Amino acid sequence: MFLQVSITPEVTSRGVNRAVMFELVTLYRYSHLGGRLPAYDGRKSLYTAGPLPFASRTFEITLQDEEDSLGGGQGTQRYAIAILSLVKYLLKTCY
């Protein structure tokens, strides 16, 4: 299944995007993702072997910022991750 991902605030680094998605999967794989282990391209696309238990959903996570925490700063950043199943969306708009 193909899904569209949007991370806010927007991040230009694929490494940070992947860290955000890794944290999301770690926290919500069994409780909200139906036990699925998605594959992420580091930008806007997420793939699963089957459907997720929702058509769209927004998650919030907090990541530890290693560089900031080493310098004595707050060391955390909050992210909102919106996931949209394009297959279900496209089917709804076609019919």
Side-chain angles (χ1 to χ4, degrees), residues 23-38:
E23 184 69 12
L24 182 140
V25 172
T26 300
L27 293 173
Y28 298 111
R29 179 178 180 186
Y30 295 103
S31 61
H32 293 78
L33 301 178
R36 303 271 184 223
L37 184 59

Side-chain angles (χ1 to χ4, degrees), residues 20-59:
V20 168
M21 192 57 64
F22 178 81
E23 184 69 12
L24 182 140
V25 172
T26 300
L27 293 173
Y28 298 111
R29 179 178 180 186
Y30 295 103
S31 61
H32 293 78
L33 301 178
R36 303 271 184 223
L37 184 59
Y40 180 55
D41 73 349
R43 295 284 183 213
K44 301 281 184 187
S45 301
L46 189 70
Y47 306 91
T48 61
L52 293 177
F54 54 84
S56 70
R57 183 163 191 148
T58 300
F59 298 90

